[in-house]
Amino acid sequence: MRRSLKWLAVATTIVMIFILLGGALVTKTGSGMGCGRSWPLCEGKFVPSEITPELMIELAHRLVSGAGGIMVLVLSVWSWKAIGHIRETKFLSLLSFIFLLLQGLIGAAAVLWGQSGFVLALHFGISLVSFASVFLLTLLIFEIDKKFDAEKLYIDKRMGFHIVGVSIYSYLVIYTGALVRHMKASLVCLDWPLCSNENLSLPSDIYQWVQMGHRAAAGIIFIWISYIFYLAVRHYKEQKVLYWGWMIAFILVSLQVIAGAFIIFSMLNLYIALLHAFFITCLFGVLSYFLLLYSRSRRNHQ
C-alpha cells in the first residue's frame, strides 16, 4: 500500500508539472480560444468538426488538467488516511486540491467570459501553489522511511528570514513573468538586459514597463538567492540540506535568468520559453520545501 501511494505521489507531481507547462504552452501559442467560447467541451461538442493546432493544444491541456484533478483528489484523500498523523498532511491535502480547483475555475471563466491579463496572470501562480502542495505531500510520503530526519534540522532566525522573504518575493517574480506572457509583452524590448542597450531611457508604454519590471524583479531574486547561497556555504556547510538545497536553488535561478535572456535572443523560441517556466516551477518547489523545514524548526526549537 505504501509503495502504491509513493507511485501515485510521484505520478501526480509529474502531471502537475505538465499542467503548468501546458498552461504556458497554451498562452505562448495563443491557443486559449482554441475551443471557442465553450467549456469543458470544445465548440460545445465531444468531437469538434474542425481540428486545428490551437484546438489540439487547448483540448490536451484540459484533458491533462482534468486527469490531474482526479489524481490530486485521490492523493489528498489517500494521504489524509495513510499519513494524516503527520502535522502538515491535512493542510497540504486541502491546499493542493482547492488551488487546483481554483485554477480550473479561472481557466473556465477566461474561456467563457474573458479576463484581463492582470487576472489571467494569477492562473500560473495559483497552479504553482497546487503543484508545491503536491510536491511537499510527496516528500512527506517518502519521509516515512526516515532516511532523513527533518525534525533535527535547526534553522536560525537569519536564515529563516531569508527563506520566508525570498519565497514570498518569488511569487511576485512569478506573477510579473505570467503578466508578460498574458499581455503579449515578451518581445517589446529586443535588447537584454536593458530594453534598449543603446538608449538609457525609461520604458515608453505599459508593455515595456511590464517587461522591464519583470526583468528587474528577476534580477533581484537572482542576487538574493546568490547571497543566501553564499551564507549557506560560509555558515551552514554542516547542515547538508541547507547547503545542497541552496546550491540547487542557485543553479535553478541562474538557469531561469539565462533562459529568460535567450527568450529574447531567440525571438521567443517555444522550447526555451517552456524551459523558463520549468525552471521557476522547480525553484518554487525548492523554496516551498525550505518553508516546510523552517516551520518545523520553529516548532521544535521554541
Side-chain angles (χ1 to χ4, degrees):
M1 178 177 173
R2 185 175 295 176
R3 179 176 295 180
S4 299
L5 181 57
K6 288 180 178 179
W7 276 107
L8 175 62
V10 171
T12 306
T13 302
I14 294 173
V15 169
M16 287 300 300
I17 292 175
F18 277 111
I19 291 174
L20 284 162
L21 294 182
L25 179 63
V26 167
T27 303
K28 291 292 185 183
T29 58
S31 302
M33 297 308 297
C35 288
R37 293 284 181 192
S38 177
W39 191 92
L41 301 178
C42 262
E43 298 175 353
K45 303 175 183 177
F46 284 102
V47 182
S49 54
E50 184 179 352
I51 305 297
T52 63
E54 292 78 13
L55 183 146
M56 294 296 294
I57 292 171
E58 171 67 8
L59 182 58
H61 178 55
R62 292 187 189 185
L63 291 174
V64 173
S65 298
I70 295 171
M71 294 174 72
V72 169
L73 179 59
V74 173
L75 178 66
S76 300
V77 174
W78 196 347
S79 300
W80 191 301
K81 292 183 177 180
I83 59 169
H85 59 281
I86 299 177
R87 175 173 169 261
E88 299 90 359
T89 301
K90 294 179 181 179
F91 172 73
L92 292 173
S93 296
L94 289 172
L95 198 67
S96 60
F97 184 73
I98 289 173
F99 270 76
L100 186 62
L101 182 62
L102 183 60
Q103 175 251 355
L105 291 175
I106 291 178
V111 170
L112 295 174
W113 304 297
Q115 297 287 349
S116 70
F118 290 92
V119 174
L120 287 175
L122 293 171
H123 193 260
F124 188 76
I126 290 171
S127 301
L128 261 183
V129 173
S130 184
F131 160 76
S133 302
V134 170
F135 176 64
L136 293 181
L137 264 182
T138 301
L139 293 178
L140 291 182
I141 292 166
F142 277 84
E143 196 180 65
I144 297 173
D145 296 333
K146 294 296 181 183
K147 292 182 179 178
F148 163 64
D149 190 0
E151 300 293 331
K152 296 179 180 179
L153 181 67
Y154 174 68
I155 300 177
D156 60 29
K157 289 185 178 180
R158 176 175 63 175
M159 179 57 73
F161 166 79
H162 287 298
I163 288 173
V164 174
V166 81
S167 298
I168 295 173
Y169 181 73
S170 70
Y171 210 74
L172 172 64
V173 178
I174 290 163
Y175 177 80
T176 59
L179 188 59
V180 168
R181 292 199 303 270
H182 285 289
M183 290 190 67
K184 304 186 187 306
S186 298
L187 294 179
V188 297
C189 294
L190 295 179
D191 281 341
W192 193 90
L194 301 178
C195 196
S196 174
N197 292 334
E198 297 180 355
N199 182 17
L200 301 179
S201 61
L202 291 174
S204 60
D205 55 42
I206 183 63
Y207 301 100
Q208 289 188 357
W209 275 107
V210 169
Q211 171 64 245
M212 293 309 299
H214 175 61
R215 291 188 193 182
I220 291 172
I221 197 173
F222 172 76
I223 295 170
W224 196 347
I225 290 179
S226 298
Y227 174 68
I228 302 172
F229 177 49
Y230 165 78
L231 291 179
V233 172
R234 285 291 304 273
H235 304 291
Y236 300 91
K237 211 166 187 177
E238 298 303 316
Q239 300 197 56
K240 297 300 182 183
V241 176
L242 290 177
Y243 176 76
W244 289 106
W246 283 115
M247 179 179 290
I248 293 171
F250 174 72
I251 292 171
L252 288 171
V253 77
S254 299
L255 290 172
Q256 190 225 358
V257 170
I258 292 170
F262 272 90
I263 287 176
I264 306 301
F265 300 150
S266 67
M267 299 299 290
L268 203 58
N269 180 276
L270 181 59
Y271 299 105
I272 295 176
L274 292 179
L275 277 176
H276 187 62
F278 175 73
F279 292 141
I280 194 62
T281 297
C282 294
L283 177 61
F284 191 75
V286 172
L287 296 178
S288 298
Y289 184 53
F290 278 138
L291 283 174
L292 173 67
L293 294 178
Y294 181 53
S295 172
R296 287 182 172 181
S297 176
R298 287 191 61 188
R299 185 181 77 246
N300 295 330
H301 296 91
Q302 284 180 345

